[in-house]
Amino acid sequence: MSSGIQLATQALHQRGFQFVYSTAGYAFEGAVPICGNLVRIRVTFEDDSFVDLPEIQLLERPVGMPAIVPHVSPDGFICYAARGTLALNIFDPAGQTLACIERAVQVVESAVRGDLAADLAEEFFAYWPGEVVFADMPLTKASSGKAFFCKHSSSGYQFVFLTDDVERTKKKLSDSIFSAQHHAVDVQVFKSKTSPGVRQTSWPPTTVGEFLSWQGELDSDCSRRIVRSLDRGMKSGCRYAAILIQSPTSWYGILTDFDQSERSGSLIHRLNARPALLKSRIFPLSVIRIDDDYLASRNVPERKTLVGLRIALVGCGTIGGYLADLLIRAGAGLKGGLLTLIDSESFMPGNMGRHRLGLPSIFKSKASELADELKRVVPSACVEACVEDVRKVANLAEFDLVIDATGEEALSNFLNKTMRQERFVPMVFSWVAGAGESVHALIRDTPDVACYHCMTTHQAATGAVVPPTYAGFGCESLYVPFPVSVSVSAAALALDAVLDWVNGQSTPKFRSRVMKGALQGTQDQELEKIEGCPACAS
């Protein structure tokens, strides 16, 4: 026995603990005061290094402990500190051990008092031994779909997929995953007012009856609605039913395969099938949503996404490449929306280094290659490439938003002027100033605000124009040197402008981020429209 274990043993003996045999390591049992009563616990060290926290387990339930409490597993193990949250002192094993016991006691007392109720949902899935279910369908109301019971060929993991559109889901995932048999399933969605928590006895539930009993302790009204739904499903003759529950903090659920033999027989028997229903085996589900609305909303929390909009992105260069990726993750091209990438140029060796595309795209169309890449990122998105010169594209007025990420002043002014002559379409401009000194975005969401040419006129008057610095040799290899972080910053600023526009918060119209140096005229601001501007004046 090492000196560290000897010191810990002495400290525990002074507290009335005794060494007990355990195959898990060095174990000690004793009693500690919890909520005014002595409660027996076991403390176990995996080894004598004192690097890892000791396991602390309740051997009996404290008086007044509710059936479900956070941070205490069904077999009594106390989660009193997450790994890395305590700085363990390996040179003071006795003090460290007593401090861990004191911390565990505090956690249990707080749980008994109800102070840690919000923690229930955070640790629930550690004790919910279910399969992962990927839900590629709206989870807002009852709907019918198909369930795929699949096994990943390389990892061996079991998965369940729920979908209301098989072809769409196949686009998101490898077709080989769907080699397994699939079945029609009745999907029912419920809301519970209480977050789930682990029951201290009879865990986990294995039948419908046990599940309903546990759910009833959490939310009796939700449990009653679930049993009525399962009753209807069983009497209708359906074999599989998925119950998905949205709690205040998480999604969870069950999949049940009704026992066909117990349901067979006369109509009278089927109409009185409640006993058979309660005995039906369940498969706990940990719900992971992969439907388009949810994925976009996670990337744009608590705000409107770009779902359903028709957006044209002009320029697939160093800014446009990263911006296209951000747009697609914010919902562009989903659920009837469209993201059109417009760029007539090819991806050349000189573009390497700070572009969203890589070496395999060399000498290929920027727009086409980027569209293919985005479809791999979000397979269900509608993304199209237009390899024509934007000056020849006749349908820009059909879009809900046009984004200019070319960074070419003459072309930006051309778009500015062209859009004036057609149906007004909101525009966002994005560019890098000088050799990466700053990045900018301009929103023009109504005809009566300053346009891109108005902005350049203001900049020229204030001396805020920074000329670019070129590097390289010869006409073909010249480029403006700035780090890739500048391109990403410009794309991020443009996305923020787009999201503010779709959420009705497009103020200020002119936005800047200084990357280096001190520049004049780079603060966020509103710009006055220039009277007689050749681009936007009527």
Side-chain angles (χ1 to χ4, degrees):
M1 183 179 292
S2 69
S3 59
I5 286 292
Q6 290 177 347
L7 291 172
T9 300
Q10 292 173 4
L12 288 169
H13 279 171
Q14 292 175 1
R15 299 293 182 95
F17 282 76
Q18 298 296 321
F19 178 81
V20 295
Y21 174 77
S22 172
T23 58
Y26 302 94
F28 302 83
E29 292 184 1
V32 293
I34 298 179
C35 298
N37 297 282
L38 287 178
V39 177
R40 290 189 57 76
I41 67 170
R42 174 179 291 182
V43 181
T44 304
F45 303 93
E46 183 178 347
D47 55 41
D48 59 0
S49 68
F50 290 92
V51 172
D52 295 318
L53 295 171
E55 285 188 343
I56 301 179
Q57 179 185 16
L58 293 173
L59 299 180
E60 56 187 336
R61 294 178 61 81
V63 175
M65 175 180 278
I68 301 173
V69 294
H71 302 304
V72 181
S73 71
D75 46 3
F77 285 98
I78 305 168
C79 177
Y80 59 91
R83 184 179 180 88
T85 59
L86 289 181
L88 300 180
N89 184 359
I90 64 173
F91 302 108
D92 182 18
Q96 168 183 298
T97 300
L98 297 179
C100 287
I101 294 174
E102 182 179 355
R103 171 63 180 165
V105 168
Q106 292 173 352
V107 167
V108 174
E109 289 184 332
S110 296
V112 171
R113 290 195 302 267
D115 297 341
L116 304 178
D119 293 359
L120 280 171
E122 295 183 8
E123 64 178 33
F124 170 70
F125 290 102
Y127 307 107
W128 184 244
E131 305 290 354
V132 172
V133 56
F134 293 95
D136 185 23
M137 57 192 301
L139 298 183
T140 55
K141 60 181 180 180
S143 58
S144 295
K146 291 185 180 295
F148 290 81
F149 303 89
C150 312
K151 185 174 183 178
H152 194 268
S153 57
S154 59
S155 67
Y157 284 113
Q158 298 280 352
F159 296 101
V160 178
F161 296 96
L162 294 178
T163 180
D164 57 355
D165 187 330
V166 174
E167 293 306 314
R168 182 192 64 229
T169 305
K170 281 187 176 181
K171 287 182 180 179
K172 294 184 178 181
L173 304 160
S174 170
D175 285 355
S176 62
I177 287 180
F178 290 92
S179 59
Q181 186 179 6
H182 65 271
H183 303 271
V185 61
D186 183 45
V187 182
Q188 298 288 330
V189 178
F190 299 88
K191 283 191 175 182
S192 173
K193 62 186 179 183
T194 306
S195 296
V198 178
R199 183 189 248 173
Q200 295 300 306
T201 57
S202 303
W203 189 263
T206 59
T207 66
V208 168
E210 292 176 0
F211 172 77
L212 291 172
S213 173
W214 166 71
Q215 182 64 41
E217 295 173 3
L218 297 170
D219 186 336
S220 58
D221 180 61
C222 180
S223 181
R224 284 192 292 269
R225 286 184 280 120
I226 291 172
V227 75
R228 288 196 296 266
S229 172
L230 288 172
D231 265 336
R232 289 192 298 269
M234 192 170 197
K235 292 172 183 177
S236 70
C238 114
R239 178 176 177 181
Y240 289 99
I243 300 297
L244 305 183
I245 301 172
Q246 181 184 19
S247 78
T249 54
S250 61
W251 284 88
Y252 61 100
I254 61 169
L255 182 72
T256 183
D257 178 0
F258 296 127
D259 187 340
Q260 298 297 304
S261 63
E262 292 197 43
R263 291 199 296 117
S264 62
S266 66
L267 176 63
I268 299 280
H269 178 77
R270 293 200 303 272
L271 292 176
N272 295 277
R274 179 66 65 83
L277 169 63
L278 298 179
K279 294 178 182 177
S280 295
R281 184 184 176 192
I282 65 168
F283 304 90
L285 300 176
S286 299
V287 182
I288 298 178
R289 292 182 60 183
I290 60 171
D291 57 288
D292 294 335
D293 274 336
Y294 178 71
L295 293 179
S297 66
R298 285 199 65 181
N299 294 332
V300 189
E302 300 180 358
R303 304 187 77 194
K304 289 183 181 178
T305 67
L306 306 182
V307 168
L309 296 175
R310 295 174 59 85
I311 300 174
L313 174 62
V314 183
C316 299
T318 183
I319 299 175
Y322 292 108
L323 179 53
D325 188 275
L326 294 175
L327 291 169
I328 208 77
R329 296 177 191 275
L334 297 177
K335 298 193 70 176
L338 172 66
L339 177 61
T340 299
L341 309 177
I342 305 174
D343 199 314
S344 61
E345 295 184 351
S346 298
F347 186 68
M348 304 302 289
N351 301 132
M352 286 293 297
R354 61 184 189 199
H355 199 284
R356 175 64 176 78
L357 298 175
L359 196 59
S361 298
I362 290 292
F363 303 122
K364 299 177 182 178
S365 162
K366 286 181 181 178
S368 297
E369 287 292 291
L370 187 57
D372 289 344
E373 180 65 21
L374 295 181
K375 291 173 185 176
R376 285 190 286 270
V377 174
V378 184
S380 56
C382 183
V383 185
E384 67 176 20
C386 176
V387 298
E388 291 187 74
D389 189 312
V390 68
R391 291 171 293 179
K392 300 178 181 179
V393 177
N395 65 341
L396 287 179
E398 298 177 3
F399 289 92
D400 299 312
L401 176 70
V402 174
I403 305 172
D404 173 22
T406 64
E408 299 178 17
E409 183 173 337
L411 185 56
S412 297
N413 276 320
F414 172 83
L415 292 172
N416 219 0
K417 182 179 180 180
T418 301
M419 299 309 292
R420 184 197 75 181
Q421 298 169 352
E422 305 183 44
R423 179 183 73 87
F424 179 81
V425 176
M427 295 191 69
V428 170
F429 298 85
S430 176
W431 69 99
V432 175
E437 278 81 3
S438 59
V439 297
H440 303 271
L442 177 72
I443 308 173
R444 188 169 189 242
D445 55 349
T446 63
D448 58 345
V449 300
C451 73
Y452 181 84
H453 190 262
C454 294
M455 182 273 304
T456 58
T457 303
H458 282 293
Q459 284 195 323
T462 59
V465 178
V466 182
T469 302
Y470 293 96
F473 302 93
C475 298
E476 294 182 359
S477 63
L478 283 178
Y479 73 103
V480 180
F482 54 77
V484 67
S485 58
V486 172
S487 304
V488 176
S489 296
L493 184 63
L495 178 69
D496 288 342
V498 170
L499 290 174
D500 283 349
W501 165 75
V502 81
N503 283 275
Q505 301 168 345
S506 55
T507 298
K509 302 289 193 260
F510 178 69
R511 306 175 182 204
S512 303
R513 297 293 181 270
V514 176
M515 308 305 294
K516 60 181 180 180
L519 302 177
Q520 295 181 349
T522 55
Q523 68 273 19
D524 293 354
Q525 58 186 297
E526 300 295 346
L527 298 174
E528 293 184 4
K529 189 173 181 178
I530 301 295
E531 185 176 353
C533 173
C536 65
S538 58

Short mmCIF file of all heavy atoms in Angstrom, two decimals, residues 124-125 128 133 135 137-141 188-191 196 243-253 285-289 291 294:
data_model
loop_
_atom_site.label_atom_id
_atom_site.label_comp_id
_atom_site.label_asym_id
_atom_site.label_seq_id
_atom_site.Cartn_x
_atom_site.Cartn_y
_atom_site.Cartn_z
N PHE A 124 -29.50 13.59 -17.63
CA PHE A 124 -30.48 12.53 -17.85
C PHE A 124 -29.99 11.47 -18.83
O PHE A 124 -30.13 10.27 -18.58
CB PHE A 124 -31.79 13.15 -18.35
CG PHE A 124 -32.80 12.13 -18.82
CD1 PHE A 124 -33.44 11.31 -17.90
CD2 PHE A 124 -33.08 11.98 -20.16
CE1 PHE A 124 -34.37 10.38 -18.32
CE2 PHE A 124 -34.01 11.05 -20.59
CZ PHE A 124 -34.65 10.25 -19.67
N PHE A 125 -29.39 11.88 -19.93
CA PHE A 125 -29.06 10.92 -20.99
C PHE A 125 -27.90 10.00 -20.62
O PHE A 125 -27.65 9.02 -21.31
CB PHE A 125 -28.79 11.66 -22.30
CG PHE A 125 -30.04 12.26 -22.88
CD1 PHE A 125 -30.30 13.61 -22.74
CD2 PHE A 125 -30.99 11.47 -23.50
CE1 PHE A 125 -31.46 14.17 -23.23
CE2 PHE A 125 -32.16 12.01 -24.00
CZ PHE A 125 -32.39 13.36 -23.87
N TRP A 128 -30.13 7.16 -19.57
CA TRP A 128 -31.25 6.80 -20.46
C TRP A 128 -30.67 5.90 -21.55
O TRP A 128 -30.15 6.39 -22.55
CB TRP A 128 -31.87 8.06 -21.03
CG TRP A 128 -33.09 7.89 -21.89
CD1 TRP A 128 -33.18 8.20 -23.21
CD2 TRP A 128 -34.38 7.42 -21.51
NE1 TRP A 128 -34.44 7.96 -23.68
CE2 TRP A 128 -35.21 7.47 -22.65
CE3 TRP A 128 -34.92 6.95 -20.32
CZ2 TRP A 128 -36.54 7.08 -22.63
CZ3 TRP A 128 -36.25 6.56 -20.29
CH2 TRP A 128 -37.04 6.62 -21.43
N VAL A 133 -32.01 8.25 -32.14
CA VAL A 133 -32.95 8.37 -33.24
C VAL A 133 -32.73 9.73 -33.90
O VAL A 133 -32.73 10.76 -33.24
CB VAL A 133 -34.42 8.23 -32.77
CG1 VAL A 133 -34.78 9.22 -31.70
CG2 VAL A 133 -35.37 8.39 -33.95
N ALA A 135 -34.25 12.37 -36.17
CA ALA A 135 -35.58 12.77 -36.62
C ALA A 135 -35.46 13.80 -37.72
O ALA A 135 -35.10 14.96 -37.46
CB ALA A 135 -36.39 13.33 -35.45
N MET A 137 -37.84 15.21 -39.60
CA MET A 137 -39.23 15.59 -39.86
C MET A 137 -39.63 16.63 -38.83
O MET A 137 -39.04 16.70 -37.74
CB MET A 137 -40.15 14.37 -39.78
CG MET A 137 -40.08 13.62 -38.47
SD MET A 137 -40.90 11.99 -38.54
CE MET A 137 -42.55 12.46 -38.99
N PRO A 138 -40.60 17.47 -39.16
CA PRO A 138 -41.04 18.48 -38.19
C PRO A 138 -41.58 17.80 -36.93
O PRO A 138 -42.38 16.88 -37.02
CB PRO A 138 -42.14 19.23 -38.93
CG PRO A 138 -41.90 18.95 -40.38
CD PRO A 138 -41.32 17.58 -40.44
N LEU A 139 -41.16 18.26 -35.79
CA LEU A 139 -41.63 17.69 -34.53
C LEU A 139 -42.53 18.69 -33.83
O LEU A 139 -42.29 19.10 -32.70
CB LEU A 139 -40.44 17.31 -33.65
CG LEU A 139 -39.51 16.24 -34.23
CD1 LEU A 139 -38.42 15.89 -33.24
CD2 LEU A 139 -40.28 14.99 -34.62
N THR A 140 -43.55 19.09 -34.53
CA THR A 140 -44.48 20.07 -33.97
C THR A 140 -45.88 19.51 -33.82
O THR A 140 -46.68 20.06 -33.10
CB THR A 140 -44.55 21.31 -34.87
OG1 THR A 140 -44.90 20.90 -36.21
CG2 THR A 140 -43.21 22.03 -34.89
N LYS A 141 -46.19 18.41 -34.48
CA LYS A 141 -47.53 17.83 -34.37
C LYS A 141 -47.45 16.36 -34.76
O LYS A 141 -46.44 15.88 -35.27
CB LYS A 141 -48.51 18.57 -35.28
CG LYS A 141 -48.12 18.53 -36.75
CD LYS A 141 -49.11 19.31 -37.60
CE LYS A 141 -48.71 19.27 -39.07
NZ LYS A 141 -49.66 20.02 -39.92
N GLN A 188 -45.87 10.35 -32.75
CA GLN A 188 -46.67 11.26 -31.95
C GLN A 188 -45.74 12.13 -31.11
O GLN A 188 -44.80 11.63 -30.48
CB GLN A 188 -47.63 10.51 -31.04
CG GLN A 188 -48.66 9.65 -31.78
CD GLN A 188 -49.71 10.49 -32.47
OE1 GLN A 188 -50.03 11.59 -32.02
NE2 GLN A 188 -50.25 9.98 -33.57
N VAL A 189 -45.99 13.43 -31.15
CA VAL A 189 -45.14 14.39 -30.44
C VAL A 189 -45.93 15.00 -29.28
O VAL A 189 -47.09 15.41 -29.46
CB VAL A 189 -44.64 15.49 -31.39
CG1 VAL A 189 -43.79 16.50 -30.63
CG2 VAL A 189 -43.84 14.88 -32.53
N PHE A 190 -45.32 15.06 -28.11
CA PHE A 190 -45.97 15.60 -26.91
C PHE A 190 -45.05 16.62 -26.25
O PHE A 190 -43.82 16.55 -26.41
CB PHE A 190 -46.30 14.50 -25.91
CG PHE A 190 -47.24 13.46 -26.45
CD1 PHE A 190 -46.76 12.36 -27.15
CD2 PHE A 190 -48.61 13.59 -26.27
CE1 PHE A 190 -47.62 11.40 -27.65
CE2 PHE A 190 -49.47 12.63 -26.78
CZ PHE A 190 -48.98 11.54 -27.47
N LYS A 191 -45.64 17.52 -25.53
CA LYS A 191 -44.87 18.47 -24.73
C LYS A 191 -45.08 18.16 -23.25
O LYS A 191 -46.19 17.92 -22.80
CB LYS A 191 -45.30 19.90 -25.03
CG LYS A 191 -44.76 20.45 -26.33
CD LYS A 191 -45.00 21.95 -26.45
CE LYS A 191 -44.35 22.50 -27.71
NZ LYS A 191 -44.53 23.96 -27.81
N PRO A 196 -36.91 15.71 -17.86
CA PRO A 196 -36.79 14.33 -17.38
C PRO A 196 -35.70 14.17 -16.34
O PRO A 196 -34.73 14.92 -16.31
CB PRO A 196 -36.44 13.55 -18.66
CG PRO A 196 -35.69 14.55 -19.49
CD PRO A 196 -36.36 15.86 -19.23
N ILE A 243 -43.05 7.65 -29.67
CA ILE A 243 -43.51 8.73 -28.80
C ILE A 243 -42.31 9.63 -28.56
O ILE A 243 -41.31 9.21 -27.96
CB ILE A 243 -44.06 8.19 -27.47
CG1 ILE A 243 -45.25 7.26 -27.71
CG2 ILE A 243 -44.44 9.35 -26.56
CD1 ILE A 243 -46.44 7.92 -28.36
N LEU A 244 -42.37 10.86 -29.03
CA LEU A 244 -41.29 11.83 -28.84
C LEU A 244 -41.79 12.94 -27.94
O LEU A 244 -42.88 13.49 -28.15
CB LEU A 244 -40.83 12.38 -30.19
CG LEU A 244 -40.42 11.35 -31.25
CD1 LEU A 244 -39.93 12.06 -32.50
CD2 LEU A 244 -39.35 10.41 -30.72
N ILE A 245 -40.99 13.28 -26.94
CA ILE A 245 -41.43 14.24 -25.92
C ILE A 245 -40.47 15.42 -25.90
O ILE A 245 -39.25 15.25 -25.78
CB ILE A 245 -41.48 13.57 -24.54
CG1 ILE A 245 -42.45 12.38 -24.57
CG2 ILE A 245 -41.89 14.59 -23.47
CD1 ILE A 245 -42.43 11.55 -23.32
N GLN A 246 -41.04 16.60 -26.00
CA GLN A 246 -40.27 17.83 -25.88
C GLN A 246 -40.44 18.38 -24.47
O GLN A 246 -41.52 18.81 -24.08
CB GLN A 246 -40.74 18.87 -26.90
CG GLN A 246 -39.94 20.17 -26.83
CD GLN A 246 -40.47 21.23 -27.79
OE1 GLN A 246 -41.60 21.14 -28.25
NE2 GLN A 246 -39.66 22.22 -28.08
N SER A 247 -39.36 18.34 -23.71
CA SER A 247 -39.39 18.90 -22.36
C SER A 247 -38.83 20.32 -22.43
O SER A 247 -38.38 20.76 -23.49
CB SER A 247 -38.54 18.03 -21.42
OG SER A 247 -37.16 18.31 -21.62
N PRO A 248 -38.83 21.05 -21.34
CA PRO A 248 -38.29 22.41 -21.38
C PRO A 248 -36.82 22.48 -21.77
O PRO A 248 -36.35 23.54 -22.19
CB PRO A 248 -38.50 22.90 -19.93
CG PRO A 248 -39.66 22.12 -19.44
CD PRO A 248 -39.51 20.76 -20.06
N THR A 249 -36.09 21.36 -21.64
CA THR A 249 -34.65 21.43 -21.90
C THR A 249 -34.14 20.41 -22.91
O THR A 249 -33.00 20.52 -23.34
CB THR A 249 -33.87 21.23 -20.59
OG1 THR A 249 -34.32 20.01 -19.97
CG2 THR A 249 -34.08 22.40 -19.65
N SER A 250 -34.94 19.40 -23.28
CA SER A 250 -34.40 18.36 -24.15
C SER A 250 -35.53 17.55 -24.79
O SER A 250 -36.69 17.65 -24.39
CB SER A 250 -33.48 17.42 -23.36
OG SER A 250 -34.21 16.77 -22.31
N TRP A 251 -35.14 16.75 -25.79
CA TRP A 251 -36.05 15.80 -26.43
C TRP A 251 -35.68 14.39 -26.00
O TRP A 251 -34.49 14.06 -25.90
CB TRP A 251 -35.92 15.88 -27.95
CG TRP A 251 -36.57 17.06 -28.59
CD1 TRP A 251 -36.01 18.30 -28.79
CD2 TRP A 251 -37.89 17.14 -29.12
NE1 TRP A 251 -36.90 19.13 -29.42
CE2 TRP A 251 -38.08 18.45 -29.64
CE3 TRP A 251 -38.94 16.23 -29.23
CZ2 TRP A 251 -39.25 18.85 -30.24
CZ3 TRP A 251 -40.11 16.64 -29.83
CH2 TRP A 251 -40.27 17.94 -30.33
N TYR A 252 -36.67 13.54 -25.77
CA TYR A 252 -36.43 12.12 -25.51
C TYR A 252 -37.66 11.37 -25.98
O TYR A 252 -38.68 11.99 -26.38
CB TYR A 252 -36.14 11.86 -24.03
CG TYR A 252 -37.27 12.22 -23.09
CD1 TYR A 252 -38.14 11.26 -22.59
CD2 TYR A 252 -37.44 13.55 -22.69
CE1 TYR A 252 -39.17 11.61 -21.72
CE2 TYR A 252 -38.46 13.91 -21.82
CZ TYR A 252 -39.32 12.94 -21.34
OH TYR A 252 -40.33 13.27 -20.49
N GLY A 253 -37.62 10.05 -25.95
CA GLY A 253 -38.79 9.33 -26.42
C GLY A 253 -38.63 7.83 -26.29
O GLY A 253 -37.65 7.31 -25.75
N LEU A 285 -35.36 6.19 -26.62
CA LEU A 285 -34.78 6.93 -27.73
C LEU A 285 -34.17 8.23 -27.23
O LEU A 285 -34.78 8.96 -26.45
CB LEU A 285 -35.85 7.25 -28.78
CG LEU A 285 -36.58 6.08 -29.44
CD1 LEU A 285 -37.66 6.60 -30.37
CD2 LEU A 285 -35.60 5.18 -30.19
N SER A 286 -32.97 8.50 -27.68
CA SER A 286 -32.35 9.80 -27.49
C SER A 286 -32.49 10.55 -28.80
O SER A 286 -31.88 10.16 -29.80
CB SER A 286 -30.87 9.66 -27.10
OG SER A 286 -30.75 8.96 -25.87
N VAL A 287 -33.29 11.58 -28.81
CA VAL A 287 -33.69 12.23 -30.06
C VAL A 287 -32.65 13.26 -30.49
O VAL A 287 -32.29 14.16 -29.72
CB VAL A 287 -35.06 12.91 -29.91
CG1 VAL A 287 -35.49 13.55 -31.22
CG2 VAL A 287 -36.10 11.89 -29.44
N ILE A 288 -32.18 13.10 -31.72
CA ILE A 288 -31.32 14.10 -32.35
C ILE A 288 -32.03 14.60 -33.60
O ILE A 288 -32.26 13.84 -34.53
CB ILE A 288 -29.94 13.52 -32.72
CG1 ILE A 288 -29.21 13.07 -31.46
CG2 ILE A 288 -29.11 14.55 -33.48
CD1 ILE A 288 -27.87 12.44 -31.72
N ARG A 289 -32.42 15.85 -33.59
CA ARG A 289 -33.15 16.40 -34.73
C ARG A 289 -32.18 16.76 -35.86
O ARG A 289 -31.15 17.40 -35.62
CB ARG A 289 -33.94 17.63 -34.32
CG ARG A 289 -35.10 17.32 -33.39
CD ARG A 289 -35.88 18.57 -33.05
NE ARG A 289 -36.45 19.20 -34.25
CZ ARG A 289 -37.13 20.34 -34.22
NH1 ARG A 289 -37.32 20.98 -33.07
NH2 ARG A 289 -37.62 20.85 -35.33
N ASP A 291 -33.83 17.75 -38.92
CA ASP A 291 -34.68 18.41 -39.89
C ASP A 291 -34.15 19.81 -40.19
O ASP A 291 -33.46 20.42 -39.37
CB ASP A 291 -36.13 18.47 -39.38
CG ASP A 291 -36.25 19.16 -38.04
OD1 ASP A 291 -35.83 18.56 -37.03
OD2 ASP A 291 -36.74 20.30 -38.00
N TYR A 294 -34.71 22.89 -37.78
CA TYR A 294 -33.99 22.82 -36.52
C TYR A 294 -32.50 23.11 -36.69
O TYR A 294 -31.90 23.86 -35.93
CB TYR A 294 -34.19 21.45 -35.88
CG TYR A 294 -33.43 21.28 -34.58
CD1 TYR A 294 -33.83 21.96 -33.44
CD2 TYR A 294 -32.30 20.47 -34.51
CE1 TYR A 294 -33.13 21.82 -32.25
CE2 TYR A 294 -31.61 20.32 -33.33
CZ TYR A 294 -32.02 21.00 -32.20
OH TYR A 294 -31.32 20.86 -31.04
#
